[in-house]
């Protein structure tokens, strides 16, 4: 059941989703032979909380205990695999698993990832770490699936991580060409087959219970035809697999909402086939996934091993490459990732505040509810028709609204935490205070503006934060009264005033406080540096001048960027560390696509099909350069339409005319003063793009062309977790689109001497269509007359203006290896800035000064703090004790558990990727967390926290390398936690802990 695709969650709950669980529970209770598998938790949790009766709840407990109702995957949603970030995947799994374990004591052990549009190699690792025994997928490239069917290779053991390899392998089953639905064709009827409850009706279920397209009932007249059709399909599918057991899915999207009629007909058909088993040569039974995989494991077959290659991109036909959704609804992709980053910051801010100031006035339960709200919304949008941008406009609006509401809640929380720390005068209001634009304006109009900056990463950072101010002369001071390096300059936005860049250094998981004072105060101190803008003549693309003759250098300690004044484009970048210059230029282009099915294949929300090569999207380029001691900003404006207005000089205007340019790129390089860490600031070129609104049926790209000899090979990431090498492939049809891949955070091209890395704060489609090239699809605006798209309102007439950010790193492989992982996370998790008129007493000033002087949670550079959180789950860590609590029905009366802290740490590097950073790392958790309090005990858990690591016994499937079946028991692994709370993380390992502190 899709959480949000064509219809909103609320519409789906009303029309069919609630009826699924109500009627399924009723029907399962009638016959113990019947079974049902439930996948996504959002609909089930809504039914459980708002619809179900006490009797139905007791029945669900009984059905689970009897093995008739089985939860598989168990996450909030069936997440997309192409454009989601691994931390968000784990979040939504953790949310669903926490609910299931707390409520029923069950822990899903099988996946049903059959609907995402392609399969990532990170997913089998995630599911293995969660304790799963088998993994089911379906949507892989049509020609590859055909080949695997013919060779009976649809089942294999997948070792998705090259570093973890066998230790986190998982048995994988690929659904055959019929995918995850019951075959709908009946040779004896023009109605859909095997769907006796028909098709869900929106907006209201029919009062008479008669739905559209209900299959012919199973009667004495039709039963033999039904049986023959079903058996023929079973035998056809059996020929594609090696085992005698055949997984035959019964159902599809939006089914079983009228389970009474469905099970009644299914019972008759199954009984008939089994009564005639000798004639048909098959027997059939209701089964859950655990039934199927248990039967399969007993056949004692030897399975092939698939290594770390993913199943992306996904195509269903030669002209149906599902690579367009990598860039669909770019704004939603950006908001989803910003919401995730805010949640990440809010989680650690609340956890450490509660640990360090347990007697504060912040209401714990209120605070937890703010976080739970955003956890739900961030989990929800990971759905494979959510963050992908493949939903209808009203569902996209639903996702936006839910995310923004959740973000508002966590912003309120973070302000309340700050006030609880710093403001003794506001005790009674801290739990509800929120910053808003009015408050910010008050600060901007007064002589002093206070800001608090929080670093959510477990590393010390030196970076710039940007504020909007009204005054050109300001001084900035930190909490110690010391001047802070700052630069002020005209904003790039037409209606904004001035941008103020502050250079901040912040310890891991800590705060800094600053005050911006208007005017030269005190008069003898130097105010913020003023960036001076230089304007250059607009250059047309048809110019007869030979490029490369008039080069303008822009440099810092790491790079020399050359701008060609004859084109106003970037010309080259010199990496000053290696003294190597890379020819590099950037331009905006557009793919023109077809929207009329009568004229050929079309592009839509999902698919990308171009009419040809990308065409240049501009005819002239404007250039401004803002020069300052701290920041130099290169502003390029790409003008599309020639004409009198375009050619008329506007010397009197301070900004380019927005009516003229459709594209812009703002590139910033930083000069870091002596005494500050320049490692990351100096080595990145920050680029912010402005794209749109596009013309209809255009797909906009930024193409970066270099002189690197790459042979059209590009490397892209799987979910921000691991990299994949993408070799350019030639196809008979649709070669451009089928060479597009998702970039969740990272992509790079390289030759034997140098590498160009691109880091993004949202997902895009990327490709290398030429030697040394990398192009990023930034925006899409589409309309087509495909009946299916029109019926479901799935055209993508996106008129928005998008502003994605990409950081560039240029240099040698050793240099970029050391930088790109942490830089990508620094882009994802930028400091959280809070404004307000914070009244700070001397006591709180002293306390803050002490905090600034300490190192809080500082991890080694190759480890990432994936989460530090107080989840609030009420379940017992000991499984036996928890099951006893459930049976005694004692959970409902318990409050949230604020003593359990969830900690998850990830090793960022692959084996052999870097001579130093790829080494195992040993961390003492008590020392790591000493700034938060005294650690009493540590428990290592499975990925989502529901298993004690010592209790996980995953199935071991027999392969050519390992002839014995059995179990993978993690507790026997010597790499687990020691008595003194010391743990070692090997390359790409993710470890999850429950931490308990002394009160």
């Amino acid at each position: 059941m899709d959480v949000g695709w064509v219809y909103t969650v609320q519409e789906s709950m009303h029309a069919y989703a609630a009826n699924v669980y109500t009627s399924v529970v009723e029907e399962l209770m009638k016959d113990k032979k019947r079974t049902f598998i439930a996948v996504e938790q959002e609909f089930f949790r809504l039914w459980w909380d708002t619809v179900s009766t006490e009797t139905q709840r007791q029945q669900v407990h009984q059905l689970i205990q009897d093995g008739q109702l089985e939860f598989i995957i168990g996450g909030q949603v069936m997440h997309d695999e192409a454009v989601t970030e691994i931390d968000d995947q784990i979040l939504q799994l953790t949310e669903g698993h926490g609910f299931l374990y707390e409520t029923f004591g069950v822990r899903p052990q099988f996946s049903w990832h059959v609907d995402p549009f392609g399969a990532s190699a990170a997913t089998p690792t995630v599911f293995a770490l969660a304790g799963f025994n088998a993994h089911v997928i379906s949507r892989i490239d049509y020609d590859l699936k055909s080949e695997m069917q013919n060779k009976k290779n649809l089942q294999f053991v997948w070792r998705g991580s090259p570093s973890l390899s066998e230790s986190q392998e998982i048995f994988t089953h690929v659904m055959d060409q019929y995918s995850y639905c019951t075959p709908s064709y009946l040779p004896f009827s023009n109605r859909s087959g095997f769907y006796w409850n028909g098709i869900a009706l929106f907006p209201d279920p029919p009062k008479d219970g008669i739905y559209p397209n209900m299959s012919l009932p199973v009667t004495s007249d039709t039963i033999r035809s039904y049986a023959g059709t079903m058996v023929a399909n079973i035998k056809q599918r059996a020929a594609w697999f090696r085992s005698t057991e055949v997984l035959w899915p019964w159902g599809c999207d939006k089914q079983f909402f009228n389970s009474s009629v469905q099970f009644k007909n299914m019972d008759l058909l199954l009984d008939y086939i089994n009564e005639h088993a000798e004639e048909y040569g098959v027997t059939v039974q209701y089964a859950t996934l655990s039934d199927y995989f248990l039967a399969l494991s007993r056949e004692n077959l030897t399975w092939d091993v698939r290594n770390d290659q993913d199943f992306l991109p996904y195509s269903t036909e030669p002209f149906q490459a599902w690579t367009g959704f990598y860039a669909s609804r770019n704004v939603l992709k950006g908001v989803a990732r910003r919401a995730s980053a805010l949640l990440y910051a809010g989680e650690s801010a609340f956890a450490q505040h509660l640990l360090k100031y347990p007697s504060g006035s912040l209401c714990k339960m209120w605070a937890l509810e703010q976080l739970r709200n955003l956890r739900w919304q961030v989990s929800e949008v990971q759905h494979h028709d959510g963050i992908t941008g493949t939903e209808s406009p009203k569902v996209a609006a639903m996702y936006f609204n839910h995310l923004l509401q959740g973000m508002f809640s966590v912003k309120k929380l973070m302000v309340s935490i700050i006030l609880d720390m710093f403001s003794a005068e506001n005790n009674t209001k801290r739990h509800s205070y929120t910053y808003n634009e009015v408050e910010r304006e008050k600060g901007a109009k007064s002589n002093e503006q206070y800001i608090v900056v929080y670093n959510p990463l477990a590393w010390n950072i030196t970076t710039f934060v940007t504020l909007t101010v009204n005054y050109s002369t300001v001084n900035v001071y930190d909490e110690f009264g010391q001047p802070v390096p700052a630069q002020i300059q005209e904003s790039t936005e037409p209606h904004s005033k001035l941008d103020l860049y502050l250079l901040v250094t912040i310890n891991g998981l800590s705060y800094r406080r600053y005050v911006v004072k208007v005017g030269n105060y005190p008069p003898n101190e130097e105010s913020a540096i003023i960036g001076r803008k230089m304007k250059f003549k607009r250059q047309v693309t048809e110019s007869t001048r030979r490029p490369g003759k008039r080069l303008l250098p822009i440099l810092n300690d790491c790079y020399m960027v050359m701008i060609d004044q004859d084109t106003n484009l970037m010309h080259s970048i010199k990496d000053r560390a290696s003294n190597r210059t890379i020819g590099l230029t950037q331009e905006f282009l557009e793919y023109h696509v077809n929207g009329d099915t009568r004229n050929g294949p079309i592009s839509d929300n999902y698919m990308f099909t171009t009419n040809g090569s990308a065409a240049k999207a501009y005819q002239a380029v404007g250039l401004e350069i803002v020069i300052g001691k701290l920041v130099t900003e290169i502003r390029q404006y790409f003008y599309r339409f020639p004409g009198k207005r375009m050619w008329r000089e506007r010397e009197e205007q301070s900004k380019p005319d927005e009516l003229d340019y459709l594209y812009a790129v703002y590139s910033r390089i930083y000069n870091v003063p002596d005494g500050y860490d320049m490692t990351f600031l100096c080595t990145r070129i920050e680029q912010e793009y402005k794209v749109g609104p596009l013309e209809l049926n255009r797909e906009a790209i930024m193409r970066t062309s270099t002189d690197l000899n790459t042979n059209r090979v590009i490397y892209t990431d799987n979910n921000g977790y691991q990299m994949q090498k993408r070799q350019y492939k030639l196809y008979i049809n649709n070669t451009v689109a089928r060479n597009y891949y998702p970039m969740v955070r990272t992509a790079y091209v390289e030759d034997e001497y140098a590498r160009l890395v691109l880091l993004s704060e949202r997902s895009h489609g990327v490709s290398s269509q030429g030697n040394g090239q990398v192009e990023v699809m930034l925006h899409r605006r589409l309309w087509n007359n495909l009946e299916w798209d029109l019926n479901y309102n799935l055209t993508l007439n996106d008129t928005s203006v998008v502003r994605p950010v990409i950081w560039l790193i240029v240099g040698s492989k050793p240099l970029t290896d050391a930088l790109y992982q942490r830089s990508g996370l620094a882009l994802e998790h930028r400091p959280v800035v809070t404004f307000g008129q914070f009244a700070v007493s001397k006591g709180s000033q002293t306390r803050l000064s002490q905090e600034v002087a300490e190192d809080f949670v500082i991890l080694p550079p190759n480890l990432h703090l994936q989460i530090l959180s107080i989840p609030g789950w009420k379940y017992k860590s000991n499984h036996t004790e928890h099951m006893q609590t459930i049976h005694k029905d004692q959970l409902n009366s318990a409050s949230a558990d604020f003593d359990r802290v969830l900690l998850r740490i990830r090793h960022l590097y692959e084996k052999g990727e870097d001579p130093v950073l790829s080494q195992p790392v040993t961390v003492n958790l008590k020392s790591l967390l000493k700034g938060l309090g005294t650690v009493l005990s540590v428990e290592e858990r499975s990925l989502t926290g529901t298993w004690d690591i010592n209790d996980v016994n995953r199935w071991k499937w027999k392969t050519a390398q390992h002839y014995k079946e059995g179990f993978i028991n993690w507790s026997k692994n010597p790499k687990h936690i020691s008595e003194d709370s010391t743990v070692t993380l090997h390359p790409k390992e993710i470890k999850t802990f429950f931490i308990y502190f002394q009160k």
Side-chain angles (χ1 to χ4, degrees):
M1 296 187 288
D2 291 313
V3 166
W5 175 42
V6 176
Y7 302 100
T8 66
V9 170
Q10 295 75 17
E11 289 174 324
S12 295
M13 278 294 292
H14 175 70
Y16 79 94
N19 288 337
V20 169
Y21 293 109
T22 298
S23 64
V24 163
V25 169
E26 180 181 355
E27 293 305 312
L28 293 182
M29 291 299 297
K30 293 178 181 179
D31 190 338
K32 287 189 174 295
K33 294 194 303 293
R34 295 171 172 174
T35 61
F36 190 81
I37 58 173
V39 182
E40 297 168 313
Q41 287 306 298
E42 179 154 335
F43 282 137
F44 179 79
R45 290 178 72 174
L46 289 171
W47 175 82
W48 182 262
D49 290 337
T50 65
V51 178
S52 66
T53 65
E54 183 59 33
T55 298
Q56 289 169 331
R57 293 185 179 197
Q58 293 175 3
Q59 289 172 338
V60 169
H61 278 279
Q62 185 63 49
L63 292 170
I64 292 171
Q65 185 176 332
D66 293 344
Q68 290 180 259
L69 177 61
E70 180 174 79
F71 292 102
I72 55 177
I73 299 182
Q76 280 290 95
V77 298
M78 187 188 299
H79 66 253
D80 172 69
E81 297 194 35
V83 299
T84 49
E85 206 272 341
I86 191 170
D87 289 5
D88 296 330
Q89 295 178 358
I90 296 170
L91 167 71
Q92 72 86 22
L93 280 173
T94 303
E95 278 297 285
H97 287 190
F99 164 77
L100 287 174
Y101 189 58
E102 182 174 89
T103 310
F104 306 111
V106 299
R107 298 171 286 203
Q109 297 183 47
F110 303 95
S111 95
W112 184 255
H113 242 233
V114 294
D115 208 14
F117 320 130
S120 165
T123 304
T125 300
V126 167
F127 287 158
L129 288 167
F132 286 17
N133 290 314
H135 176 38
V136 182
I137 62 176
S138 182
R139 293 186 183 269
I140 67 172
D141 225 44
Y142 72 99
D143 46 5
L144 178 59
K145 178 177 281 194
S146 177
E147 177 185 340
M148 293 172 73
Q149 277 185 178
N150 294 335
K151 294 181 178 180
K152 296 189 176 184
N153 286 338
L154 290 170
Q155 294 172 315
F156 49 86
V157 172
W158 197 355
R159 296 174 181 168
S161 167
S163 294
L164 301 179
S165 188
E166 181 188 349
S167 68
Q168 300 303 336
E169 69 186 18
I170 193 167
F171 184 83
T172 303
H173 174 107
V174 183
M175 302 299 290
D176 55 51
Q177 68 186 42
Y178 291 102
S179 193
Y180 59 90
C181 293
T182 313
S184 58
Y185 171 71
L186 291 178
F188 55 91
S189 171
N190 58 2
R191 300 189 197 178
S192 292
F194 304 100
Y195 300 126
W196 292 283
N197 54 198
I199 298 173
L201 201 60
F202 288 81
D204 302 307
K207 294 181 180 180
D208 60 3
I210 304 301
Y211 286 85
N213 203 22
M214 297 175 74
S215 298
L216 288 174
V218 176
T219 66
S220 58
D221 294 330
T222 61
I223 193 166
R224 189 160 184 83
S225 297
Y226 266 118
T229 302
M230 182 174 177
V231 169
N233 185 261
I234 290 172
K235 290 182 175 180
Q236 182 187 20
R237 299 172 101 147
W240 298 326
F241 293 89
R242 297 171 53 213
S243 67
T244 59
E245 310 289 340
V246 178
L247 177 61
W248 204 78
W250 209 322
C252 198
D253 299 329
K254 304 181 185 69
Q255 285 293 309
F256 284 89
F257 49 82
N258 188 0
S259 296
S260 172
V261 65
Q262 189 73 16
F263 275 111
K264 176 183 176 182
N265 285 276
M266 292 163 67
D267 288 346
L268 292 171
L269 183 53
L270 267 60
D271 288 345
Y272 182 85
I273 293 174
N274 289 333
E275 289 168 2
H276 297 80
E278 187 173 341
E279 174 188 351
Y280 288 123
V282 300
T283 58
V284 290
Q285 69 177 67
Y286 290 116
T288 62
L289 271 191
S290 59
D291 293 329
Y292 169 71
F293 283 115
L294 185 60
L296 185 63
S297 67
R298 289 170 177 163
E299 294 201 19
N300 199 30
L301 298 172
T302 301
W303 304 101
D304 290 339
V305 172
R306 181 180 179 87
N307 291 320
D308 58 305
Q309 188 61 46
D310 61 10
F311 291 98
L312 291 165
Y314 164 59
S315 296
T316 46
E317 292 180 14
F319 283 104
Q320 292 184 356
W322 293 48
T323 57
F325 78 89
Y326 302 158
S328 293
R329 300 199 192 281
N330 182 279
V331 176
L332 177 60
K333 286 176 167 64
V335 171
R337 290 278 281 276
R338 286 200 298 274
S340 172
L342 180 63
L343 176 62
Y344 175 82
E347 294 279 15
S348 62
F350 174 59
Q352 65 169 317
H353 184 70
L354 193 60
L355 289 167
K356 292 156 74 173
Y357 311 117
S359 59
S361 63
L362 183 71
C363 175
K364 294 187 295 185
M365 203 63 225
W366 173 84
L368 182 60
E369 286 305 314
Q370 310 315 301
L371 292 169
R372 282 175 168 172
N373 184 11
L374 190 52
R375 289 173 193 168
W376 184 291
Q377 312 309 348
V378 172
S379 296
E380 177 184 79
V381 79
Q382 307 309 316
H383 177 65
H384 58 271
D385 278 306
I387 197 170
T388 53
T390 54
E391 62 281 285
S392 67
K394 67 178 177 182
V395 174
M398 177 200 75
Y399 285 125
F400 272 120
N401 291 335
H402 289 179
L403 288 168
L404 294 175
Q405 290 167 8
M407 292 171 74
F408 182 73
S409 296
V410 172
K411 287 178 181 177
K412 285 195 299 182
L413 169 62
M414 295 198 72
V415 173
S416 298
I417 289 171
I418 292 169
L419 288 171
D420 198 35
M421 291 169 60
F422 300 149
S423 184
E425 292 81 2
N426 292 323
N427 281 344
T428 60
K429 297 181 180 179
R430 289 171 194 165
H431 70 282
S432 59
Y433 178 91
T434 180
Y435 162 75
N436 56 43
E437 290 300 325
V438 174
E439 196 68 31
R440 184 173 178 177
E441 284 299 313
K442 288 179 182 178
K445 292 177 182 177
S446 69
N447 289 331
E448 294 185 350
Q449 183 174 359
Y450 295 90
I451 65 168
V452 175
V453 185
Y454 177 63
N455 171 23
L457 291 169
W459 302 307
N460 297 340
I461 63 168
T462 298
T463 190
F464 280 93
V465 297
T466 309
L467 313 178
T468 300
V469 295
N470 294 335
Y471 302 99
S472 60
T473 305
V474 299
N475 296 74
V476 184
Y477 302 92
D478 64 15
E479 61 280 314
F480 305 110
Q482 297 299 310
V484 175
Q487 179 172 315
I488 196 166
Q489 63 191 45
E490 182 184 285
S491 174
T492 58
E493 295 302 312
H495 304 298
S496 297
K497 293 158 187 174
L498 298 168
D499 287 337
L500 177 63
Y501 291 84
L502 307 184
L503 182 60
V504 299
T505 296
I506 315 178
N507 292 333
L509 266 63
S510 62
Y511 297 86
R512 295 292 303 271
R513 180 176 177 270
Y514 302 91
V515 59
V516 179
K517 298 185 178 182
V518 176
N520 287 322
Y521 178 83
N524 60 335
E525 288 194 4
E526 186 175 334
S527 59
I529 298 163
I530 298 177
R532 304 297 181 185
K533 184 171 69 175
M534 299 172 56
K535 296 185 68 173
F536 296 81
K537 183 179 178 181
R538 197 177 298 178
Q539 299 295 337
V540 298
T541 57
E542 293 85 2
S543 173
T544 58
R545 291 177 180 170
R546 185 177 178 182
K549 293 296 184 181
R550 297 190 301 145
L551 301 180
L552 176 67
I554 307 293
L555 48 87
N556 65 3
D557 289 332
C558 296
Y559 297 128
M560 179 186 294
V561 178
M562 305 297 285
I563 304 297
D564 190 336
Q565 295 183 72
D566 290 323
T567 63
N568 285 343
L569 298 176
M570 201 176 290
H571 174 272
S572 60
I573 299 176
K574 180 179 182 179
D575 170 27
R576 300 181 71 180
S578 65
N579 202 33
R580 176 177 170 81
T581 298
I582 297 174
L584 185 150
T585 187
Q586 295 180 303
E587 58 181 346
F588 289 101
L589 299 96
E590 293 176 346
Y591 286 105
H592 295 203
V593 298
N594 174 45
D596 190 340
T597 56
R598 295 169 297 183
N599 297 331
I602 53 97
S603 276
D604 65 6
N605 296 35
Y606 306 87
M607 293 179 290
F608 169 39
T609 308
T610 177
N611 290 340
S613 300
K616 192 168 291 188
Y618 64 97
Q619 296 192 23
V621 182
L623 176 66
E624 297 174 346
I625 299 179
V626 180
I627 299 176
K629 291 183 179 179
L630 297 177
V631 185
T632 298
E633 186 172 64
I634 305 163
R635 302 176 176 179
Q636 296 163 294
Y637 305 94
F638 292 76
Y639 296 88
R640 183 168 209 160
F641 301 109
K644 292 182 180 179
R645 183 177 62 184
M646 177 175 156
W647 305 117
R648 188 168 68 243
E649 294 294 335
R650 289 179 167 81
E651 296 298 334
E652 73 279 4
Q653 293 188 354
S654 61
K655 296 179 184 291
D657 189 344
E658 273 207 315
L659 297 176
D660 285 347
Y661 71 89
L662 193 65
Y663 297 94
V665 56
Y666 311 112
S667 303
R668 287 179 286 272
I669 64 172
Y670 296 108
N671 295 285
V672 184
D674 292 340
Y676 289 85
D677 183 5
M678 59 179 277
T679 306
F680 292 94
L681 260 182
C682 178
T683 52
R684 69 181 183 237
I685 300 172
E686 296 184 3
Q687 293 197 318
E688 179 183 350
Y689 307 109
K690 176 182 176 294
V691 181
L694 301 180
E695 293 185 4
L696 202 57
N697 288 329
R698 297 289 188 270
E699 314 212 21
I701 66 167
M702 163 61 83
R703 177 176 291 168
T704 302
S705 300
T706 74
D707 59 6
L708 297 176
N709 186 23
T710 65
N711 196 30
R712 295 193 287 191
V713 173
I714 187 171
Y715 296 79
T716 71
D717 65 325
N718 276 159
N719 314 111
Y721 178 68
Q722 64 192 59
M723 302 300 296
Q724 292 278 346
K725 181 179 181 180
R726 313 294 193 180
Q727 182 73 52
Y728 189 85
K729 299 176 183 177
L730 290 173
Y731 298 93
I732 297 174
N733 298 300
N734 216 19
T735 293
V736 170
R738 295 186 73 177
N739 277 286
Y740 256 81
Y741 299 92
M743 174 179 73
V744 176
R745 180 183 293 134
T746 308
Y748 61 80
V749 292
E750 65 181 18
D751 62 15
E752 60 180 313
Y753 303 107
R755 176 186 289 165
L756 167 67
V757 180
L758 285 73
L759 302 171
S760 178
E761 36 73 80
R762 69 189 71 180
S763 297
H764 302 285
V766 294
S767 183
S768 181
Q769 298 288 331
N771 188 35
Q773 289 183 356
V774 53
E775 63 185 49
V776 182
M777 186 172 289
L778 299 172
H779 199 8
R780 316 176 76 215
R781 183 184 176 191
L782 307 168
W783 183 90
N784 67 78
N785 58 4
L786 184 68
E787 184 177 0
W788 188 82
D789 283 340
L790 294 176
N791 288 344
Y792 289 117
N793 195 18
L794 293 176
T795 56
L796 190 66
N797 191 10
D798 186 348
T799 60
S800 62
V801 176
V802 303
R803 293 177 171 85
V805 174
I806 289 179
W807 290 358
L808 307 181
I809 301 176
V810 175
S812 65
K813 293 181 185 180
L815 173 69
T816 55
D817 277 340
L819 292 173
Y820 83 93
Q821 293 277 17
R822 290 177 70 190
S823 295
L825 288 163
L827 172 58
E828 179 96 7
H829 298 294
R830 286 167 281 186
V832 178
V833 180
T834 304
F835 302 84
Q837 295 297 89
F838 302 112
V840 182
S841 65
K842 289 184 178 180
S844 60
Q845 180 75 60
T846 302
R847 182 168 60 191
L848 177 62
S849 301
Q850 291 171 347
E851 289 172 354
V852 171
E854 293 179 2
D855 285 340
F856 288 106
V857 180
I858 309 297
L859 281 170
N862 47 1
L863 298 186
H864 167 49
L865 181 75
Q866 279 193 300
I867 193 70
L868 179 70
S869 164
I870 295 180
W873 301 315
K874 297 177 287 186
Y875 61 73
K876 304 286 187 182
S877 293
N878 181 281
H879 182 66
T880 302
E881 292 178 5
H882 178 56
M883 295 307 296
Q884 291 172 348
T885 303
I886 291 176
H887 294 321
K888 294 176 182 178
D889 198 24
Q890 294 177 343
L891 270 178
N892 291 336
S893 60
S895 62
D897 183 350
F898 290 97
D899 295 329
R900 175 190 288 135
V901 176
L902 172 66
L903 172 69
R904 188 179 295 118
I905 302 174
R906 168 160 58 103
H907 195 301
L908 293 172
Y909 284 83
E910 299 280 4
K911 285 184 179 178
E913 186 176 3
D914 184 272
V916 176
L917 297 171
S918 291
Q919 296 301 313
V921 187
T922 299
V923 177
N924 185 288
L925 297 180
K926 289 184 177 180
S927 298
L928 175 70
L929 302 172
K930 65 182 179 181
L932 307 183
T934 301
V935 174
L936 288 181
S937 63
V938 178
E939 301 171 1
E940 186 169 356
R941 310 291 293 188
S942 61
L943 183 70
T944 60
T946 56
W947 290 90
D948 184 311
I949 203 71
N950 298 304
D951 296 335
V952 178
N953 287 286
R954 293 179 52 242
W955 296 359
K956 178 73 176 176
W957 298 77
K958 188 164 67 172
T959 66
Q961 294 94 328
H962 295 274
Y963 295 103
K964 292 184 178 180
E965 294 182 316
F967 298 97
I968 303 174
N969 189 309
W970 294 349
S971 65
K972 298 177 181 178
N973 191 323
K975 295 180 287 186
H976 289 301
I977 192 166
S978 65
E979 291 184 2
D980 66 347
S981 300
T982 297
V983 297
T984 299
L985 284 92
H986 290 247
K988 302 311 286 189
E989 277 194 323
I990 302 174
K991 286 184 175 288
T992 301
F993 307 95
F994 287 164
I995 313 290
Y996 298 90
F997 288 83
Q998 179 177 308
K999 293 186 179 180

